[in-house]
Amino acid sequence: MSDDTSLWSALADPHRRSIVALLLERPRSVGEIVEECGLSQPSTSKHLKVLREAGLVRVRQDAQRRVYALDPAPIAALDAWLAPYRKLWNRSLDALGRRLDETSDTSTEDPSPKD
Amino acid sequence: MSDDTSLWSALADPHRRSIVALLLERPRSVGEIVEECGLSQPSTSKHLKVLREAGLVRVRQDAQRRVYALDPAPIAALDAWLAPYRKLWNRSLDALGRRLDETSDTSTEDPSPKD
DNA sequence: CTCCAATATGCCTCGGCGGTTATATGCACG
DNA sequence: CGTGCATATAACCGCCGAGGCATATTGGAG
């Protein structure tokens, strides 16, 4: 059930955004995630449950370990939500940039999210 | 300044997302917003305060009315946050068989969304 | 079968959020 | 100056979410 609200509220938590950022690098087991973001194991498991129910992550069972990985679909949904607004800020950036420069590409320059 | 968390949690509420969507069409006074999304006036004012403090909206005072309008900057921040993940799901779409001739730049290449 | 390691889940507490009602503030107008 | 409209704020309350601790569950090793 990945309705928009569960997706947004899943990402509203900074710890969960950290987890998502971790999983962007590579899939990880719960233990790794616990160690990386310094939360307790039960708390981490709960966050992972929220992310799971929001459709943001998937689990693969490997012996006793459970390896979590990002599911790109909800990210795409976010992107779709964002699309109309992107027009808006492109427009206003354009209005600004008209006086500044011709740099129309102010987008993806950030290789690593730290959040 | 609006940290990421206040931005995300501001958008985590469906009513606030409705308000933002309303303001995407055009700036509106509080009364209009109240009428459109069916909330009470105090509740609406609170939501607007949250959006204001997240930097998502700005106010212009017009006599007794206060006209709210979208500020595109935080939307751009969201877009920036999304960028690394967008690469991910582009990749997976590719894995599904889509042949995207992307060179190395999967950034905003002006998708020209239709109205 | 038993024990252990890895993870999930239940209960409890607490702080914050969203809603409502009542009230304050600010501005225009007679 | 007082009245009325538009909006913000205060005070209060119910609820949900996040964290901690203890415990259940599951799979593997011996």
Coordinates of all heavy atoms in Angstrom, one line a residue, chain B residues 53-97:
Chain B
E53 N 7.1 28.4 7.4 CA 8.3 28.1 8.1 C 9.2 27.1 7.4 O 10.4 27.1 7.6 CB 8.0 27.6 9.5 CG 7.5 28.8 10.4 CD 7.1 28.3 11.8 OE1 6.9 27.1 11.9 OE2 6.9 29.1 12.7
A54 N 8.6 26.3 6.5 CA 9.4 25.4 5.7 C 9.9 26.1 4.5 O 10.7 25.6 3.7 CB 8.6 24.2 5.3
G55 N 9.5 27.4 4.3 CA 10.0 28.1 3.2 C 9.2 27.9 1.9 O 9.6 28.4 0.8
L56 N 8.1 27.1 2.0 CA 7.4 26.7 0.8 C 6.5 27.8 0.2 O 6.2 27.7 -1.0 CB 6.6 25.4 1.0 CG 7.4 24.1 0.9 CD1 6.6 23.0 1.6 CD2 7.6 23.7 -0.6
V57 N 6.0 28.6 1.1 CA 5.1 29.7 0.6 C 5.6 31.0 1.1 O 6.3 31.1 2.1 CB 3.7 29.4 1.1 CG1 3.2 28.1 0.5 CG2 3.6 29.5 2.6
R58 N 5.1 32.1 0.4 CA 5.4 33.4 0.9 C 4.1 34.2 1.0 O 3.1 33.8 0.3 CB 6.3 34.2 -0.1 CG 7.8 33.8 0.2 CD 8.6 34.4 -0.9 NE 8.1 34.0 -2.2 CZ 8.5 34.5 -3.4 NH1 9.3 35.6 -3.4 NH2 8.0 34.0 -4.5
V59 N 4.0 35.2 1.8 CA 2.8 35.9 2.0 C 2.9 37.3 1.4 O 4.0 38.0 1.6 CB 2.4 36.1 3.5 CG1 0.9 36.2 3.6 CG2 3.0 34.9 4.2
R60 N 1.8 37.8 0.8 CA 1.8 39.2 0.4 C 0.5 39.8 1.1 O -0.6 39.2 0.9 CB 1.7 39.4 -1.1 CG 1.5 40.8 -1.6 CD 1.5 40.8 -3.1 NE 0.4 40.0 -3.7 CZ -0.8 40.5 -4.0 NH1 -1.0 41.7 -3.9 NH2 -1.7 39.7 -4.5
Q61 N 0.7 40.9 1.8 CA -0.5 41.4 2.4 C -1.2 42.4 1.5 O -0.6 43.3 1.0 CB -0.1 42.2 3.7 CG -1.3 42.6 4.5 CD -1.0 42.4 6.0 OE1 0.1 42.1 6.4 NE2 -2.1 42.7 6.8
D62 N -2.5 42.2 1.4 CA -3.3 43.0 0.5 C -4.6 43.5 1.3 O -5.5 42.7 1.4 CB -3.7 42.2 -0.7 CG -4.7 43.0 -1.6 OD1 -4.5 44.2 -1.9 OD2 -5.8 42.4 -1.9
A63 N -4.5 44.6 1.9 CA -5.5 45.1 2.8 C -5.7 44.1 3.9 O -4.7 43.8 4.6 CB -6.8 45.3 2.1
Q64 N -6.9 43.6 4.2 CA -7.1 42.6 5.2 C -6.7 41.2 4.8 O -6.4 40.4 5.6 CB -8.5 42.6 5.8 CG -9.0 43.9 6.2 CD -10.0 44.5 5.2 OE1 -10.2 43.9 4.1 NE2 -10.7 45.5 5.5
R65 N -6.7 41.0 3.5 CA -6.4 39.7 3.0 C -4.9 39.4 3.0 O -4.0 40.4 3.0 CB -6.8 39.6 1.5 CG -8.2 40.1 1.2 CD -9.1 39.0 0.9 NE -10.5 39.4 0.9 CZ -11.1 39.7 -0.3 NH1 -10.5 39.6 -1.4 NH2 -12.4 40.0 -0.2
R66 N -4.5 38.2 3.1 CA -3.1 37.8 3.0 C -3.1 36.7 1.9 O -3.7 35.7 1.9 CB -2.6 37.1 4.3 CG -2.8 38.1 5.5 CD -1.6 38.0 6.4 NE -1.8 38.9 7.5 CZ -1.0 39.0 8.6 NH1 -0.1 38.1 8.7 NH2 -1.2 39.8 9.5
V67 N -2.4 37.1 0.9 CA -2.3 36.3 -0.3 C -1.0 35.4 -0.3 O 0.1 35.9 -0.2 CB -2.3 37.1 -1.6 CG1 -2.2 36.2 -2.8 CG2 -3.5 38.0 -1.6
Y68 N -1.2 34.1 -0.3 CA -0.1 33.1 -0.3 C 0.3 32.7 -1.7 O -0.6 32.5 -2.5 CB -0.5 31.9 0.6 CG -0.4 32.2 2.1 CD1 -1.4 32.9 2.8 CD2 0.7 31.8 2.8 CE1 -1.3 33.2 4.1 CE2 0.8 32.1 4.2 CZ -0.2 32.7 4.8 OH -0.1 33.0 6.2
A69 N 1.6 32.5 -1.8 CA 2.1 32.1 -3.1 C 3.2 31.1 -2.9 O 3.9 31.1 -1.9 CB 2.6 33.3 -4.0
L70 N 3.4 30.2 -3.9 CA 4.5 29.2 -3.8 C 5.8 29.9 -3.9 O 6.0 30.8 -4.7 CB 4.3 28.2 -4.9 CG 3.5 27.0 -4.6 CD1 3.6 26.0 -5.7 CD2 3.9 26.3 -3.2
D71 N 6.8 29.4 -3.1 CA 8.2 29.7 -3.3 C 8.9 28.6 -4.0 O 8.9 27.5 -3.4 CB 8.9 30.1 -2.0 CG 10.2 30.7 -2.2 OD1 10.9 30.4 -3.2 OD2 10.7 31.4 -1.3
P72 N 9.4 28.7 -5.1 CA 10.0 27.6 -5.9 C 11.3 27.0 -5.3 O 11.6 25.9 -5.6 CB 10.2 28.1 -7.3 CG 10.2 29.6 -7.2 CD 9.5 30.0 -5.9
A73 N 12.0 27.7 -4.5 CA 13.3 27.3 -4.0 C 13.3 25.9 -3.3 O 14.1 25.0 -3.7 CB 13.9 28.3 -3.1
P74 N 12.3 25.7 -2.4 CA 12.4 24.4 -1.7 C 12.0 23.3 -2.6 O 12.6 22.2 -2.5 CB 11.3 24.5 -0.6 CG 11.1 26.0 -0.4 CD 11.4 26.6 -1.7
I75 N 11.2 23.5 -3.6 CA 10.9 22.5 -4.6 C 12.2 22.1 -5.3 O 12.5 20.9 -5.6 CB 9.9 23.0 -5.6 CG1 8.7 23.6 -4.8 CG2 9.4 21.9 -6.5 CD1 7.7 22.6 -4.3
A76 N 13.0 23.1 -5.6 CA 14.3 22.8 -6.2 C 15.2 22.0 -5.3 O 15.9 21.1 -5.8 CB 15.0 24.1 -6.6
A77 N 15.1 22.3 -4.0 CA 15.9 21.5 -3.1 C 15.4 20.0 -3.1 O 16.3 19.1 -3.1 CB 15.7 22.1 -1.7
L78 N 14.1 19.8 -3.1 CA 13.6 18.5 -3.3 C 14.1 17.8 -4.5 O 14.6 16.6 -4.5 CB 12.1 18.5 -3.3 CG 11.3 18.3 -2.0 CD1 9.9 18.1 -2.3 CD2 11.9 17.1 -1.3
D79 N 14.1 18.5 -5.6 CA 14.6 18.0 -6.9 C 16.0 17.6 -6.8 O 16.4 16.5 -7.2 CB 14.4 19.0 -7.9 CG 14.5 18.4 -9.3 OD1 13.5 17.7 -9.7 OD2 15.5 18.6 -10.0
A80 N 16.8 18.4 -6.1 CA 18.2 18.1 -5.9 C 18.4 16.8 -5.1 O 19.2 16.0 -5.4 CB 18.9 19.3 -5.2
W81 N 17.6 16.7 -4.1 CA 17.6 15.5 -3.2 C 17.3 14.3 -4.0 O 17.9 13.2 -3.9 CB 16.7 15.6 -2.1 CG 16.7 14.5 -1.1 CD1 17.5 14.5 0.1 CD2 16.0 13.3 -1.2 NE1 17.3 13.2 0.7 CE2 16.4 12.5 0.0 CE3 15.1 12.7 -2.1 CZ2 15.9 11.2 0.2 CZ3 14.6 11.5 -1.8 CH2 15.0 10.7 -0.7
L82 N 16.4 14.5 -4.9 CA 15.9 13.3 -5.7 C 16.9 12.9 -6.8 O 16.9 11.7 -7.2 CB 14.6 13.7 -6.4 CG 13.6 12.6 -6.7 CD1 13.3 11.9 -5.4 CD2 12.3 13.3 -7.3
A83 N 17.7 13.8 -7.2 CA 18.6 13.5 -8.3 C 19.3 12.2 -8.3 O 19.2 11.4 -9.3 CB 19.5 14.7 -8.5
P84 N 20.0 11.9 -7.2 CA 20.8 10.6 -7.2 C 19.9 9.4 -7.4 O 20.3 8.4 -8.0 CB 21.5 10.6 -5.9 CG 21.5 12.0 -5.4 CD 20.2 12.6 -6.0
Y85 N 18.7 9.5 -6.8 CA 17.8 8.4 -6.9 C 17.2 8.2 -8.3 O 16.9 7.1 -8.8 CB 16.7 8.5 -5.9 CG 17.2 8.6 -4.5 CD1 17.4 9.9 -3.9 CD2 17.5 7.5 -3.8 CE1 18.0 10.0 -2.6 CE2 18.0 7.6 -2.5 CZ 18.2 8.8 -1.9 OH 18.7 8.9 -0.7
R86 N 17.0 9.4 -8.9 CA 16.5 9.4 -10.3 C 17.4 8.5 -11.2 O 17.0 7.8 -12.0 CB 16.4 10.8 -10.8 CG 15.6 10.9 -12.1 CD 15.0 12.3 -12.2 NE 15.9 13.3 -11.8 CZ 15.6 14.4 -11.1 NH1 14.3 14.5 -10.7 NH2 16.4 15.3 -10.7
K87 N 18.7 8.7 -11.0 CA 19.6 7.8 -11.7 C 19.3 6.4 -11.5 O 19.3 5.6 -12.4 CB 21.1 8.1 -11.3 CG 21.6 9.5 -11.7 CD 23.0 9.6 -11.3 CE 23.4 11.1 -11.2 NZ 24.6 11.3 -10.3
L88 N 19.1 6.1 -10.3 CA 18.8 4.7 -9.9 C 17.6 4.1 -10.7 O 17.7 3.1 -11.3 CB 18.5 4.6 -8.4 CG 18.1 3.2 -7.9 CD1 19.2 2.2 -8.0 CD2 17.5 3.2 -6.5
W89 N 16.5 4.9 -10.7 CA 15.3 4.3 -11.4 C 15.4 4.4 -12.9 O 14.8 3.6 -13.6 CB 14.0 4.8 -10.8 CG 13.7 6.2 -11.1 CD1 13.9 7.2 -10.2 CD2 12.9 6.7 -12.2 NE1 13.4 8.4 -10.7 CE2 12.8 8.1 -11.9 CE3 12.4 6.2 -13.3 CZ2 12.2 9.0 -12.8 CZ3 11.8 7.0 -14.2 CH2 11.6 8.4 -14.0
N90 N 16.2 5.3 -13.4 CA 16.5 5.3 -14.8 C 17.2 4.0 -15.2 O 16.9 3.4 -16.1 CB 17.3 6.5 -15.2 CG 16.4 7.7 -15.4 OD1 15.3 7.6 -15.7 ND2 17.0 8.9 -15.3
R91 N 18.2 3.7 -14.3 CA 18.9 2.5 -14.5 C 18.0 1.3 -14.6 O 18.1 0.4 -15.4 CB 20.0 2.3 -13.4 CG 21.2 1.5 -13.8 CD 22.1 1.3 -12.6 NE 22.3 2.6 -11.9 CZ 22.5 2.7 -10.6 NH1 22.3 1.7 -9.8 NH2 22.7 3.9 -10.1
S92 N 17.1 1.2 -13.6 CA 16.3 0.0 -13.5 C 15.3 0.0 -14.7 O 14.9 -1.1 -15.1 CB 15.6 0.0 -12.2 OG 14.5 0.9 -12.2
L93 N 14.8 1.1 -15.1 CA 14.0 1.1 -16.3 C 14.8 0.5 -17.5 O 14.3 -0.2 -18.3 CB 13.5 2.5 -16.6 CG 12.3 3.0 -15.9 CD1 11.9 4.4 -16.4 CD2 11.2 2.0 -16.0
D94 N 16.0 0.9 -17.5 CA 16.9 0.4 -18.5 C 17.0 -1.1 -18.4 O 16.9 -1.9 -19.4 CB 18.3 1.0 -18.4 CG 19.1 0.8 -19.6 OD1 18.6 1.0 -20.7 OD2 20.3 0.3 -19.4
A95 N 17.1 -1.6 -17.2 CA 17.2 -3.0 -17.0 C 15.9 -3.7 -17.4 O 15.9 -4.9 -17.8 CB 17.5 -3.3 -15.5
L96 N 14.8 -3.0 -17.4 CA 13.6 -3.6 -17.8 C 13.5 -3.7 -19.4 O 12.6 -4.3 -19.9 CB 12.4 -2.8 -17.3 CG 11.9 -3.1 -15.9 CD1 10.7 -2.2 -15.6 CD2 11.6 -4.6 -15.8
G97 N 14.5 -3.2 -20.0 CA 14.5 -3.3 -21.5 C 14.3 -2.0 -22.2 O 14.5 -2.0 -23.4

